[in-house]
Amino acid sequence: MQFISRQKKLGPHSQTEIYGQLVQFYGQPPLENISLSEFETFAVERLKLLKSVENLGVSYVKLSEQYNNKLHHELKNLNFPYKSETEDRKSQTGPSEHEKRRKDHISHFILRLAYCQTEDLRRWFIQQEVDLFRYRFTDLPPEQKLELLQKNNLQYHAISAEEKKALSGKLVHSSYGGSGIKVEDQDFYKVPFQDALDLVRARKVYLKAGYVYIPQQDIVTIVLNDFRTRLSKALALTARSLPAVHSDERLQPLLNHLSHAYVGQDYSIQKNVGKISLEQIDSLSGKSFPLCMRQLHQNLRENHHLRHGGRMQYGLFLKGIGLSLEQALQFWRSEFIRGKVDADKFDKAYAYSIRHMFGKEGKRTDYTPYSCMKVILSNPPSQGDHHGCPFRHSDPELLKQKLQFYKVSPSGISQILELVKGMHYQLACQKYFELTHNIEDTTFSLNHPNQYFIESQKVLGGGKDIKRETDTPQRSQENSGRGSTAAREAAAAAANAPQHLAEITEDLDSFFQDA
Amino acid sequence: MPCSDYDPASLPDLLPLYYRRLFPFSQYYRWLNYGGVQKNYFQNREFSFTLKDDIYVRYQSFTTQNELEKEMQKMNPYKIDIGAIYSHRPNQHNTVKSGTFQALEKELVFDIDMTDYDDVRSCCSAADICSKCWTLMTIAIRILDRALREDFGFQHLLWVYSGRRGVHCWVCDEAARKLSVAARSAVAEYLSLVKGGEETVKKVMLTEPIHPFIRESLVVVERYFPRYALQDQDILGRKESVDKVLALVPEDVRKDLQQDFQNEKKPETRWKLVKDQASKKQATAKKFQHFEKEIMLQYCYPRLDVNVSKGVNHLLKSPFSVHPKTGRISVPINLKELDTFDPFAVPTISLICEELDRPRPGEEEEKSEETKEKENEKDAAERWKIRDYKRTSLAKYVKHFDQFLDGMARAWKGELLRKSDLQKEF
């Protein structure tokens, strides 16, 4: 394995160098021997950490106080480094700071192996690692920030006082409002806009002739950008050396399981293909579809058309609940030809993309239904679109009207709107589920429109409908009552050294279904 | 002028003539070859053709201008799209190992389509346009052109009429062509202000402080708003359209304005009432209030199709392609004449083909010239083609394209010099 083979080349003192700081750029791979059990524990715990980072990022505004507190808590619980050394010395229990930093380091590299394989995995991993890094970097005291930047050769040059004066009017109007820091008191750094994309995207920086002028307080963006670029390159390199790692039969199954864990259940396995008839869809859409799909269905029936984003979101959902390719083609055709599209045009322009969804065209990937996260975060609806998450992408006033129309009680509506206001879109949807299914507390944590459907069918159909569903979600039901307990058990199991691998990975599966 | 006489059924007869005698191949090649600064730049570019009956052929590529010419004259595509520059020749994409065939570079492109404005224009809907709503495209070009040049520092922007209901922008600077997907999406989002689909009423939300980019854009919008929105679209005239505007103001203000509007019918005065309410609100309310600006932006601000700009491998209709429905040629727009640009005056394929057949003063003279040059036939054919388009209404658009290319040539000349200097050093 690569960790071992390189060990002899470098002296052991390079390690203390690496662990000298709380936050790392992960420039050096770990060079020591580690036991298989440690390998597993580290990997599982980092994955749990990254899962938390992802979940917190959806539920809270990043870097808000709540977000920071929760993430801080999470780091502490999972024994990852989280505060400056001095603070840690006070507490005598638990692993030492050095051990935590070592774990941080090694676990990051293990997950690189698991997450370098596909574009999707890389994107997810980079996103979570970047968010984690952002939190930790922001949390550092200023002098440590500077030290970190210096050690990693990241130095920026501030613009001159004259230049600053000439631009001051523009600079004032370009950075965060109400921060109270005056332009005169602050250094500004001029860098190419490509190095600060997050600030450009959000229009939080002054941009002129291809250069951005970044105030000292926002320097983290360039650092993050750099971190992201390095990580992305490193993953591409790791992917190339992967065959060597995969030849190790001890690691390969574990790595595969780790990488499958991030999406949770993907609802693409169709054991119930063809069990749903097209006539059922109208009534199912009222009873068991989440609001996003109900909205798409309704608009499709009304306008006999959906734009691309809507067709993808709704089409894959329908595939997930069990429509066969033939049914899907029939469903879309019969609706579209009632509108402006004739049968010939449908076959030429739309049938392809439906077959594509089912993996019958193009690169023949069997596409998986969109998760809540994907619906909420990617490809927001624009003019003419009906897709997206109604809790995220509707005006509160319209959402309210819609909920009233669907006969949700006034108190229920205000509860939902409160959750929406706090940006808890998935919780709002879950509340909607509870209200429309007349149950007090749902025992699952909603993260997928198809999960909503399955759970709804369970509630409504009693035993009858459940049998139709896939096996795995059923298992998640068994586990769901003890959600976090299962997680802890999985972690504990992984921590116990000579556990059989199959058991560990199975526990992992159940953990990530609940997560 | 018979320009409106285009009949889609005649397209198969006209296209061969167009590709044989009128399409500006040499300029087209000059553009996409980018001075030959980078090796295989033209060879690895994807073209895609739409043929008769919507047959779609992707991953076409050509090694030389001559090959491109021959192929287009053979296939006579109804529509031509331009894609990315790939790691390998696109027409051989099946022969390379999967995963290694990758889109590397492309111009940064923007696509603005009038259908995206359907909720704020009352004159037309869907694919229809008129001179009233065309102002929206003028505003879009003004705002984006300024921002891409001044904010992002790009210089080589080619604006093109799509042939039907929208405009495209090709940012051809080297730096733009090399942008990553993340950078493209950041640029597109920086430029997007109108957000939300059918489930969102208020689509523009400003926050404090107003970014210089938005201020600059507002300057443009304010210039066109009274004429375009208040007069041409009459957004404060009929009751339904008034209600749509009032849905965008805070509730208390809405009631006041509804009252005021009872006694005041003139749109300009009504708009003044809205503005007065806004400044009143700004003076008193603690919360940031700029609903009058938000209304103007929602009605006039450019609506980009972000997905087109994001992807490196996204295809976009090529300049000088024919729009099969309208027959109009997709022509570059000269920004110096932007305010008088009339999409309905853009020549159709039937018009320019007809112009070719018209006798012209000085015709004889040229004919005798032609006989002199008969020995060098290929050369003569080349010259003829150049003269041919010059005899049609296409000429001024090709001329503008030439000027655009001259500007870029100056840039790549510098680049070539720099490269040869570097070589000498070693």
Side-chain angles (χ1 to χ4, degrees), chain A residues 200-201 203 205 207 209-210 295 383-386 393 395 398 402, chain B residues 116 150-152 185 189-190 192 198-203 211:
Chain A
V200 171
R201 191 188 306 277
R203 255 178 263 112
V205 68
L207 177 59
Q295 181 174 302
Q383 185 57 41
D385 283 331
H386 295 279
H393 297 118
D395 278 350
L398 281 189
K402 189 166 289 170
Chain B
D116 290 331
E150 293 177 13
D151 299 2
F152 288 96
S185 93
E189 278 177 46
Y190 177 91
S192 300
E198 294 298 298
E199 319 299 323
T200 324
V201 176
K202 197 162 166 64
K203 293 181 179 165
H211 190 274

PDB file of all heavy atoms in Angstrom, chain A residues 200-201 203 205 207 209-210 295 383-386 393 395 398 402, chain B residues 116 150-152 185 189-190 192 198-203 211:
ATOM      1  N   VAL A 200     -17.423  36.290  -6.194  1.00  0.00           N
ATOM      2  CA  VAL A 200     -17.934  36.826  -7.461  1.00  0.00           C
ATOM      3  C   VAL A 200     -19.378  36.381  -7.652  1.00  0.00           C
ATOM      4  O   VAL A 200     -20.268  37.182  -7.940  1.00  0.00           O
ATOM      5  CB  VAL A 200     -17.080  36.323  -8.648  1.00  0.00           C
ATOM      6  CG1 VAL A 200     -17.723  36.686  -9.976  1.00  0.00           C
ATOM      7  CG2 VAL A 200     -15.677  36.916  -8.565  1.00  0.00           C
ATOM      8  N   ARG A 201     -19.602  35.107  -7.454  1.00  0.00           N
ATOM      9  CA  ARG A 201     -20.920  34.514  -7.619  1.00  0.00           C
ATOM     10  C   ARG A 201     -21.971  35.275  -6.808  1.00  0.00           C
ATOM     11  O   ARG A 201     -23.050  35.575  -7.287  1.00  0.00           O
ATOM     12  CB  ARG A 201     -20.837  33.080  -7.115  1.00  0.00           C
ATOM     13  CG  ARG A 201     -22.011  32.189  -7.417  1.00  0.00           C
ATOM     14  CD  ARG A 201     -21.843  30.861  -6.667  1.00  0.00           C
ATOM     15  NE  ARG A 201     -20.573  30.212  -6.938  1.00  0.00           N
ATOM     16  CZ  ARG A 201     -20.349  29.456  -7.997  1.00  0.00           C
ATOM     17  NH1 ARG A 201     -21.303  29.245  -8.855  1.00  0.00           N
ATOM     18  NH2 ARG A 201     -19.178  28.902  -8.194  1.00  0.00           N
ATOM     19  N   ARG A 203     -21.723  38.270  -5.660  1.00  0.00           N
ATOM     20  CA  ARG A 203     -21.553  39.719  -5.780  1.00  0.00           C
ATOM     21  C   ARG A 203     -21.164  40.349  -4.449  1.00  0.00           C
ATOM     22  O   ARG A 203     -21.695  41.353  -4.045  1.00  0.00           O
ATOM     23  CB  ARG A 203     -22.847  40.360  -6.299  1.00  0.00           C
ATOM     24  CG  ARG A 203     -22.776  40.773  -7.755  1.00  0.00           C
ATOM     25  CD  ARG A 203     -24.068  41.349  -8.218  1.00  0.00           C
ATOM     26  NE  ARG A 203     -24.878  40.372  -8.904  1.00  0.00           N
ATOM     27  CZ  ARG A 203     -26.019  39.888  -8.452  1.00  0.00           C
ATOM     28  NH1 ARG A 203     -26.488  40.297  -7.306  1.00  0.00           N
ATOM     29  NH2 ARG A 203     -26.675  39.000  -9.143  1.00  0.00           N
ATOM     30  N   VAL A 205     -18.049  41.296  -3.680  1.00  0.00           N
ATOM     31  CA  VAL A 205     -16.710  41.838  -3.813  1.00  0.00           C
ATOM     32  C   VAL A 205     -16.737  42.798  -4.994  1.00  0.00           C
ATOM     33  O   VAL A 205     -17.577  42.677  -5.886  1.00  0.00           O
ATOM     34  CB  VAL A 205     -15.722  40.669  -4.048  1.00  0.00           C
ATOM     35  CG1 VAL A 205     -15.948  40.030  -5.398  1.00  0.00           C
ATOM     36  CG2 VAL A 205     -14.293  41.117  -3.906  1.00  0.00           C
ATOM     37  N   LEU A 207     -15.462  44.132  -8.421  1.00  0.00           N
ATOM     38  CA  LEU A 207     -14.839  43.482  -9.568  1.00  0.00           C
ATOM     39  C   LEU A 207     -14.565  44.527 -10.630  1.00  0.00           C
ATOM     40  O   LEU A 207     -15.459  45.276 -11.026  1.00  0.00           O
ATOM     41  CB  LEU A 207     -15.815  42.415 -10.081  1.00  0.00           C
ATOM     42  CG  LEU A 207     -15.470  41.612 -11.322  1.00  0.00           C
ATOM     43  CD1 LEU A 207     -14.176  40.865 -11.146  1.00  0.00           C
ATOM     44  CD2 LEU A 207     -16.591  40.623 -11.605  1.00  0.00           C
ATOM     45  N   ALA A 209     -12.239  44.992 -14.308  1.00  0.00           N
ATOM     46  CA  ALA A 209     -11.319  44.520 -15.349  1.00  0.00           C
ATOM     47  C   ALA A 209     -10.745  43.141 -15.055  1.00  0.00           C
ATOM     48  O   ALA A 209      -9.569  42.874 -15.288  1.00  0.00           O
ATOM     49  CB  ALA A 209     -10.196  45.532 -15.545  1.00  0.00           C
ATOM     50  N   GLY A 210     -11.568  42.269 -14.512  1.00  0.00           N
ATOM     51  CA  GLY A 210     -11.119  40.902 -14.293  1.00  0.00           C
ATOM     52  C   GLY A 210     -10.444  40.652 -12.962  1.00  0.00           C
ATOM     53  O   GLY A 210     -10.051  39.532 -12.660  1.00  0.00           O
ATOM     54  N   GLN A 295     -46.932  19.111  -7.354  1.00  0.00           N
ATOM     55  CA  GLN A 295     -46.917  20.353  -8.125  1.00  0.00           C
ATOM     56  C   GLN A 295     -46.555  20.102  -9.584  1.00  0.00           C
ATOM     57  O   GLN A 295     -47.196  20.629 -10.500  1.00  0.00           O
ATOM     58  CB  GLN A 295     -45.877  21.263  -7.468  1.00  0.00           C
ATOM     59  CG  GLN A 295     -45.686  22.610  -8.064  1.00  0.00           C
ATOM     60  CD  GLN A 295     -44.728  23.419  -7.186  1.00  0.00           C
ATOM     61  OE1 GLN A 295     -44.985  23.626  -5.998  1.00  0.00           O
ATOM     62  NE2 GLN A 295     -43.625  23.858  -7.742  1.00  0.00           N
ATOM     63  N   GLN A 383     -37.735  31.102 -15.144  1.00  0.00           N
ATOM     64  CA  GLN A 383     -38.974  31.403 -15.844  1.00  0.00           C
ATOM     65  C   GLN A 383     -39.565  30.180 -16.553  1.00  0.00           C
ATOM     66  O   GLN A 383     -38.888  29.523 -17.320  1.00  0.00           O
ATOM     67  CB  GLN A 383     -38.694  32.526 -16.848  1.00  0.00           C
ATOM     68  CG  GLN A 383     -39.913  33.025 -17.563  1.00  0.00           C
ATOM     69  CD  GLN A 383     -40.960  33.504 -16.577  1.00  0.00           C
ATOM     70  OE1 GLN A 383     -40.636  34.152 -15.600  1.00  0.00           O
ATOM     71  NE2 GLN A 383     -42.205  33.178 -16.819  1.00  0.00           N
ATOM     72  N   GLY A 384     -40.836  29.892 -16.272  1.00  0.00           N
ATOM     73  CA  GLY A 384     -41.509  28.786 -16.943  1.00  0.00           C
ATOM     74  C   GLY A 384     -41.304  27.434 -16.279  1.00  0.00           C
ATOM     75  O   GLY A 384     -41.874  26.443 -16.692  1.00  0.00           O
ATOM     76  N   ASP A 385     -40.478  27.396 -15.239  1.00  0.00           N
ATOM     77  CA  ASP A 385     -40.185  26.130 -14.578  1.00  0.00           C
ATOM     78  C   ASP A 385     -41.109  25.880 -13.394  1.00  0.00           C
ATOM     79  O   ASP A 385     -41.502  26.812 -12.693  1.00  0.00           O
ATOM     80  CB  ASP A 385     -38.742  26.134 -14.048  1.00  0.00           C
ATOM     81  CG  ASP A 385     -37.740  25.903 -15.153  1.00  0.00           C
ATOM     82  OD1 ASP A 385     -38.102  25.230 -16.131  1.00  0.00           O
ATOM     83  OD2 ASP A 385     -36.610  26.401 -15.028  1.00  0.00           O
ATOM     84  N   HIS A 386     -41.420  24.602 -13.164  1.00  0.00           N
ATOM     85  CA  HIS A 386     -42.222  24.237 -12.005  1.00  0.00           C
ATOM     86  C   HIS A 386     -41.476  23.288 -11.088  1.00  0.00           C
ATOM     87  O   HIS A 386     -42.025  22.807 -10.114  1.00  0.00           O
ATOM     88  CB  HIS A 386     -43.531  23.575 -12.450  1.00  0.00           C
ATOM     89  CG  HIS A 386     -44.425  24.502 -13.205  1.00  0.00           C
ATOM     90  ND1 HIS A 386     -45.241  25.419 -12.586  1.00  0.00           N
ATOM     91  CD2 HIS A 386     -44.599  24.702 -14.532  1.00  0.00           C
ATOM     92  CE1 HIS A 386     -45.902  26.115 -13.503  1.00  0.00           C
ATOM     93  NE2 HIS A 386     -45.516  25.705 -14.698  1.00  0.00           N
ATOM     94  N   HIS A 393     -38.327  27.036  -3.076  1.00  0.00           N
ATOM     95  CA  HIS A 393     -38.384  27.893  -4.258  1.00  0.00           C
ATOM     96  C   HIS A 393     -39.729  28.589  -4.479  1.00  0.00           C
ATOM     97  O   HIS A 393     -40.001  29.066  -5.562  1.00  0.00           O
ATOM     98  CB  HIS A 393     -38.019  27.076  -5.510  1.00  0.00           C
ATOM     99  CG  HIS A 393     -36.609  26.549  -5.489  1.00  0.00           C
ATOM    100  ND1 HIS A 393     -36.317  25.208  -5.496  1.00  0.00           N
ATOM    101  CD2 HIS A 393     -35.422  27.174  -5.435  1.00  0.00           C
ATOM    102  CE1 HIS A 393     -35.012  25.030  -5.447  1.00  0.00           C
ATOM    103  NE2 HIS A 393     -34.445  26.214  -5.414  1.00  0.00           N
ATOM    104  N   ASP A 395     -42.591  31.565  -3.182  1.00  0.00           N
ATOM    105  CA  ASP A 395     -42.849  32.684  -2.296  1.00  0.00           C
ATOM    106  C   ASP A 395     -43.670  32.173  -1.127  1.00  0.00           C
ATOM    107  O   ASP A 395     -44.615  31.414  -1.331  1.00  0.00           O
ATOM    108  CB  ASP A 395     -43.671  33.760  -3.028  1.00  0.00           C
ATOM    109  CG  ASP A 395     -42.790  34.641  -3.878  1.00  0.00           C
ATOM    110  OD1 ASP A 395     -41.566  34.537  -3.751  1.00  0.00           O
ATOM    111  OD2 ASP A 395     -43.341  35.429  -4.659  1.00  0.00           O
ATOM    112  N   LEU A 398     -47.390  32.333  -1.682  1.00  0.00           N
ATOM    113  CA  LEU A 398     -47.935  31.320  -2.594  1.00  0.00           C
ATOM    114  C   LEU A 398     -47.981  29.952  -1.933  1.00  0.00           C
ATOM    115  O   LEU A 398     -48.943  29.199  -2.096  1.00  0.00           O
ATOM    116  CB  LEU A 398     -47.074  31.218  -3.854  1.00  0.00           C
ATOM    117  CG  LEU A 398     -47.260  32.274  -4.928  1.00  0.00           C
ATOM    118  CD1 LEU A 398     -46.474  31.869  -6.168  1.00  0.00           C
ATOM    119  CD2 LEU A 398     -48.725  32.444  -5.281  1.00  0.00           C
ATOM    120  N   LYS A 402     -51.214  27.597  -1.336  1.00  0.00           N
ATOM    121  CA  LYS A 402     -51.252  26.229  -1.809  1.00  0.00           C
ATOM    122  C   LYS A 402     -51.598  25.271  -0.679  1.00  0.00           C
ATOM    123  O   LYS A 402     -52.418  24.373  -0.834  1.00  0.00           O
ATOM    124  CB  LYS A 402     -49.893  25.874  -2.412  1.00  0.00           C
ATOM    125  CG  LYS A 402     -49.891  24.563  -3.126  1.00  0.00           C
ATOM    126  CD  LYS A 402     -48.660  24.415  -3.989  1.00  0.00           C
ATOM    127  CE  LYS A 402     -48.704  25.319  -5.192  1.00  0.00           C
ATOM    128  NZ  LYS A 402     -47.442  25.374  -5.910  1.00  0.00           N
TER     129      LYS A 402
ATOM    130  N   ASP B 116     -38.347  33.770 -22.041  1.00  0.00           N
ATOM    131  CA  ASP B 116     -38.137  33.857 -20.604  1.00  0.00           C
ATOM    132  C   ASP B 116     -38.727  35.125 -19.995  1.00  0.00           C
ATOM    133  O   ASP B 116     -38.703  35.312 -18.790  1.00  0.00           O
ATOM    134  CB  ASP B 116     -36.643  33.777 -20.283  1.00  0.00           C
ATOM    135  CG  ASP B 116     -36.107  32.376 -20.539  1.00  0.00           C
ATOM    136  OD1 ASP B 116     -36.889  31.423 -20.420  1.00  0.00           O
ATOM    137  OD2 ASP B 116     -34.923  32.244 -20.875  1.00  0.00           O
ATOM    138  N   GLU B 150     -16.203  45.845 -18.582  1.00  0.00           N
ATOM    139  CA  GLU B 150     -15.644  46.649 -17.493  1.00  0.00           C
ATOM    140  C   GLU B 150     -15.376  45.824 -16.238  1.00  0.00           C
ATOM    141  O   GLU B 150     -14.339  45.977 -15.606  1.00  0.00           O
ATOM    142  CB  GLU B 150     -16.576  47.820 -17.171  1.00  0.00           C
ATOM    143  CG  GLU B 150     -16.635  48.814 -18.322  1.00  0.00           C
ATOM    144  CD  GLU B 150     -17.621  49.945 -18.056  1.00  0.00           C
ATOM    145  OE1 GLU B 150     -18.069  50.094 -16.904  1.00  0.00           O
ATOM    146  OE2 GLU B 150     -17.952  50.663 -19.018  1.00  0.00           O
ATOM    147  N   ASP B 151     -16.310  44.974 -15.858  1.00  0.00           N
ATOM    148  CA  ASP B 151     -16.119  44.215 -14.625  1.00  0.00           C
ATOM    149  C   ASP B 151     -15.177  43.039 -14.836  1.00  0.00           C
ATOM    150  O   ASP B 151     -14.260  42.819 -14.064  1.00  0.00           O
ATOM    151  CB  ASP B 151     -17.467  43.704 -14.089  1.00  0.00           C
ATOM    152  CG  ASP B 151     -18.418  44.850 -13.748  1.00  0.00           C
ATOM    153  OD1 ASP B 151     -18.026  46.017 -13.973  1.00  0.00           O
ATOM    154  OD2 ASP B 151     -19.536  44.586 -13.262  1.00  0.00           O
ATOM    155  N   PHE B 152     -15.426  42.273 -15.889  1.00  0.00           N
ATOM    156  CA  PHE B 152     -14.622  41.073 -16.084  1.00  0.00           C
ATOM    157  C   PHE B 152     -13.405  41.296 -16.977  1.00  0.00           C
ATOM    158  O   PHE B 152     -12.551  40.425 -17.093  1.00  0.00           O
ATOM    159  CB  PHE B 152     -15.489  39.949 -16.658  1.00  0.00           C
ATOM    160  CG  PHE B 152     -16.455  39.401 -15.648  1.00  0.00           C
ATOM    161  CD1 PHE B 152     -17.758  39.859 -15.588  1.00  0.00           C
ATOM    162  CD2 PHE B 152     -16.045  38.463 -14.720  1.00  0.00           C
ATOM    163  CE1 PHE B 152     -18.649  39.365 -14.638  1.00  0.00           C
ATOM    164  CE2 PHE B 152     -16.918  37.965 -13.762  1.00  0.00           C
ATOM    165  CZ  PHE B 152     -18.228  38.421 -13.731  1.00  0.00           C
ATOM    166  N   SER B 185     -19.997  29.343 -14.222  1.00  0.00           N
ATOM    167  CA  SER B 185     -21.244  29.462 -13.482  1.00  0.00           C
ATOM    168  C   SER B 185     -21.184  30.643 -12.522  1.00  0.00           C
ATOM    169  O   SER B 185     -22.176  31.316 -12.294  1.00  0.00           O
ATOM    170  CB  SER B 185     -21.597  28.144 -12.793  1.00  0.00           C
ATOM    171  OG  SER B 185     -21.113  28.096 -11.492  1.00  0.00           O
ATOM    172  N   GLU B 189     -23.829  33.655 -12.603  1.00  0.00           N
ATOM    173  CA  GLU B 189     -24.623  34.013 -11.428  1.00  0.00           C
ATOM    174  C   GLU B 189     -24.405  35.462 -11.001  1.00  0.00           C
ATOM    175  O   GLU B 189     -25.333  36.114 -10.535  1.00  0.00           O
ATOM    176  CB  GLU B 189     -24.330  33.046 -10.281  1.00  0.00           C
ATOM    177  CG  GLU B 189     -25.153  31.770 -10.447  1.00  0.00           C
ATOM    178  CD  GLU B 189     -24.861  30.736  -9.380  1.00  0.00           C
ATOM    179  OE1 GLU B 189     -24.815  31.113  -8.197  1.00  0.00           O
ATOM    180  OE2 GLU B 189     -24.655  29.570  -9.739  1.00  0.00           O
ATOM    181  N   TYR B 190     -23.186  35.915 -11.174  1.00  0.00           N
ATOM    182  CA  TYR B 190     -22.909  37.329 -10.911  1.00  0.00           C
ATOM    183  C   TYR B 190     -23.836  38.196 -11.761  1.00  0.00           C
ATOM    184  O   TYR B 190     -24.335  39.223 -11.319  1.00  0.00           O
ATOM    185  CB  TYR B 190     -21.450  37.608 -11.256  1.00  0.00           C
ATOM    186  CG  TYR B 190     -20.976  39.052 -11.123  1.00  0.00           C
ATOM    187  CD1 TYR B 190     -20.427  39.506  -9.937  1.00  0.00           C
ATOM    188  CD2 TYR B 190     -21.037  39.935 -12.201  1.00  0.00           C
ATOM    189  CE1 TYR B 190     -19.961  40.806  -9.811  1.00  0.00           C
ATOM    190  CE2 TYR B 190     -20.574  41.241 -12.090  1.00  0.00           C
ATOM    191  CZ  TYR B 190     -20.031  41.675 -10.897  1.00  0.00           C
ATOM    192  OH  TYR B 190     -19.577  42.967 -10.789  1.00  0.00           O
ATOM    193  N   SER B 192     -26.788  37.330 -12.944  1.00  0.00           N
ATOM    194  CA  SER B 192     -28.222  37.020 -12.844  1.00  0.00           C
ATOM    195  C   SER B 192     -28.851  37.713 -11.646  1.00  0.00           C
ATOM    196  O   SER B 192     -28.369  37.590 -10.527  1.00  0.00           O
ATOM    197  CB  SER B 192     -28.430  35.513 -12.681  1.00  0.00           C
ATOM    198  OG  SER B 192     -27.904  34.833 -13.771  1.00  0.00           O
ATOM    199  N   GLU B 198     -42.133  29.619 -11.741  1.00  0.00           N
ATOM    200  CA  GLU B 198     -43.556  29.967 -11.745  1.00  0.00           C
ATOM    201  C   GLU B 198     -44.125  30.126 -10.338  1.00  0.00           C
ATOM    202  O   GLU B 198     -45.188  30.702 -10.162  1.00  0.00           O
ATOM    203  CB  GLU B 198     -44.325  28.880 -12.494  1.00  0.00           C
ATOM    204  CG  GLU B 198     -43.986  28.814 -13.981  1.00  0.00           C
ATOM    205  CD  GLU B 198     -44.342  30.088 -14.731  1.00  0.00           C
ATOM    206  OE1 GLU B 198     -45.533  30.415 -14.765  1.00  0.00           O
ATOM    207  OE2 GLU B 198     -43.429  30.750 -15.257  1.00  0.00           O
ATOM    208  N   GLU B 199     -43.426  29.580  -9.359  1.00  0.00           N
ATOM    209  CA  GLU B 199     -43.968  29.643  -7.997  1.00  0.00           C
ATOM    210  C   GLU B 199     -43.441  30.857  -7.231  1.00  0.00           C
ATOM    211  O   GLU B 199     -43.623  30.958  -6.034  1.00  0.00           O
ATOM    212  CB  GLU B 199     -43.631  28.361  -7.218  1.00  0.00           C
ATOM    213  CG  GLU B 199     -43.772  27.075  -8.010  1.00  0.00           C
ATOM    214  CD  GLU B 199     -45.187  26.842  -8.516  1.00  0.00           C
ATOM    215  OE1 GLU B 199     -46.131  27.184  -7.787  1.00  0.00           O
ATOM    216  OE2 GLU B 199     -45.343  26.346  -9.646  1.00  0.00           O
ATOM    217  N   THR B 200     -42.731  31.721  -7.924  1.00  0.00           N
ATOM    218  CA  THR B 200     -42.206  32.901  -7.263  1.00  0.00           C
ATOM    219  C   THR B 200     -42.793  34.141  -7.925  1.00  0.00           C
ATOM    220  O   THR B 200     -42.759  34.269  -9.144  1.00  0.00           O
ATOM    221  CB  THR B 200     -40.664  32.971  -7.407  1.00  0.00           C
ATOM    222  OG1 THR B 200     -40.162  31.657  -7.337  1.00  0.00           O
ATOM    223  CG2 THR B 200     -40.059  33.813  -6.323  1.00  0.00           C
ATOM    224  N   VAL B 201     -43.349  35.031  -7.124  1.00  0.00           N
ATOM    225  CA  VAL B 201     -43.911  36.258  -7.682  1.00  0.00           C
ATOM    226  C   VAL B 201     -42.842  37.341  -7.743  1.00  0.00           C
ATOM    227  O   VAL B 201     -42.581  37.941  -8.780  1.00  0.00           O
ATOM    228  CB  VAL B 201     -45.108  36.747  -6.842  1.00  0.00           C
ATOM    229  CG1 VAL B 201     -45.610  38.081  -7.371  1.00  0.00           C
ATOM    230  CG2 VAL B 201     -46.217  35.710  -6.868  1.00  0.00           C
ATOM    231  N   LYS B 202     -42.215  37.545  -6.616  1.00  0.00           N
ATOM    232  CA  LYS B 202     -41.199  38.582  -6.560  1.00  0.00           C
ATOM    233  C   LYS B 202     -39.853  37.968  -6.886  1.00  0.00           C
ATOM    234  O   LYS B 202     -39.321  37.163  -6.120  1.00  0.00           O
ATOM    235  CB  LYS B 202     -41.174  39.202  -5.167  1.00  0.00           C
ATOM    236  CG  LYS B 202     -40.466  40.526  -5.113  1.00  0.00           C
ATOM    237  CD  LYS B 202     -40.852  41.283  -3.853  1.00  0.00           C
ATOM    238  CE  LYS B 202     -39.941  42.452  -3.574  1.00  0.00           C
ATOM    239  NZ  LYS B 202     -39.991  43.488  -4.589  1.00  0.00           N
ATOM    240  N   LYS B 203     -39.325  38.318  -8.028  1.00  0.00           N
ATOM    241  CA  LYS B 203     -38.152  37.611  -8.513  1.00  0.00           C
ATOM    242  C   LYS B 203     -36.845  38.374  -8.349  1.00  0.00           C
ATOM    243  O   LYS B 203     -35.783  37.868  -8.664  1.00  0.00           O
ATOM    244  CB  LYS B 203     -38.341  37.239  -9.989  1.00  0.00           C
ATOM    245  CG  LYS B 203     -39.450  36.218 -10.145  1.00  0.00           C
ATOM    246  CD  LYS B 203     -39.665  35.812 -11.564  1.00  0.00           C
ATOM    247  CE  LYS B 203     -40.777  34.779 -11.614  1.00  0.00           C
ATOM    248  NZ  LYS B 203     -41.309  34.555 -12.916  1.00  0.00           N
ATOM    249  N   HIS B 211     -24.734  46.648  -4.902  1.00  0.00           N
ATOM    250  CA  HIS B 211     -23.417  46.428  -5.517  1.00  0.00           C
ATOM    251  C   HIS B 211     -23.222  47.342  -6.740  1.00  0.00           C
ATOM    252  O   HIS B 211     -24.187  47.592  -7.472  1.00  0.00           O
ATOM    253  CB  HIS B 211     -23.336  44.959  -5.940  1.00  0.00           C
ATOM    254  CG  HIS B 211     -21.965  44.535  -6.366  1.00  0.00           C
ATOM    255  ND1 HIS B 211     -21.524  44.699  -7.658  1.00  0.00           N
ATOM    256  CD2 HIS B 211     -20.945  43.972  -5.677  1.00  0.00           C
ATOM    257  CE1 HIS B 211     -20.286  44.241  -7.732  1.00  0.00           C
ATOM    258  NE2 HIS B 211     -19.916  43.794  -6.557  1.00  0.00           N
TER     259      HIS B 211
END
